[in-house]
Amino acid sequence: MVNQAYFGGNMIDTERVREMTKLSAYETHEGKQYRQAVRYFRSDFVGIHVIKGFFSGTAAFGICLVMWGVYHLEELIAGLGSMDLIQLGTDILVRYLFFLTVYLAAVAIYANVYHAAGTKNMKRYYRRLKRLGRLYEEQESRSAPMRR
């Protein structure tokens, strides 16, 4: 039994209206959020984010290094003559590589999870679209005159 209501002399299928409302809500909210993610294959999406993460992570480390240098400027200037600059550079490089490795791993995990969630939501959206199409086809078959 189809749940229908009369509105202005026309029959409205409430189940179809419910599906259309859910689809519209998805398009205006979640659909915009995940549209970029599902446009790419997962490996491409993760790769793009890792490349962006490399540049933003390098900038963040550089900013933190400058802030540390400004905070310890007096000590650095006082010990400049007796400081082993090669050791200091090596320490900074090792910490940079460690930070970047951890940061890029976190970015890759985030991008994978985000892409998986977007794919899952888009599959649900397409399932609802197919169901809406079937509802339209059912109504057409009910309202079409019988031919002999």
Side-chain angles (χ1 to χ4, degrees):
M1 180 94 182
V2 176
N3 194 7
Q4 296 178 338
Y6 286 95
F7 180 75
N10 297 325
M11 216 170 12
I12 296 176
D13 185 357
T14 55
E15 188 175 356
R16 195 173 71 201
V17 170
R18 190 176 305 122
E19 286 296 321
M20 290 170 61
T21 304
K22 288 178 183 177
L23 287 170
S24 176
Y26 177 82
E27 286 175 354
T28 57
H29 299 294
E30 293 178 37
K32 287 182 181 179
Q33 178 183 1
Y34 292 119
R35 194 168 290 133
Q36 284 296 101
V38 297
R39 286 180 54 196
Y40 300 102
F41 291 112
R42 183 180 300 222
S43 59
D44 294 340
F45 185 74
V46 171
I48 289 169
H49 276 75
V50 167
I51 290 170
K52 288 180 184 178
F54 172 78
F55 291 113
S56 64
T58 300
F61 186 83
I63 290 170
C64 290
L65 184 64
V66 167
M67 288 178 13
W68 177 84
V70 168
Y71 183 75
H72 291 50
L73 186 62
E74 193 172 311
E75 296 170 25
L76 290 172
I77 291 174
L80 194 58
S82 63
M83 189 181 302
D84 185 11
L85 294 179
I86 294 176
Q87 182 62 38
L88 178 66
T90 305
D91 287 346
I92 291 173
L93 181 65
V94 167
R95 290 178 184 183
Y96 168 71
L97 292 175
F98 177 75
F99 167 77
L100 203 59
T101 302
V102 171
Y103 181 71
L104 292 181
V107 166
I109 290 169
Y110 170 78
N112 268 310
V113 169
Y114 189 83
H115 190 275
T119 303
K120 180 181 174 184
N121 283 333
M122 287 304 287
K123 284 181 181 179
R124 185 181 317 135
Y125 174 73
Y126 287 128
R127 241 188 342 262
R128 284 196 170 136
L129 274 178
K130 286 181 184 178
R131 180 181 164 141
L132 182 63
R134 284 194 303 268
L135 290 173
Y136 270 109
E137 289 172 3
E138 287 175 11
Q139 184 181 14
E140 288 292 322
S141 66
R142 276 183 275 144
S143 64
M146 298 283 284
R147 293 184 186 175
R148 291 184 191 205

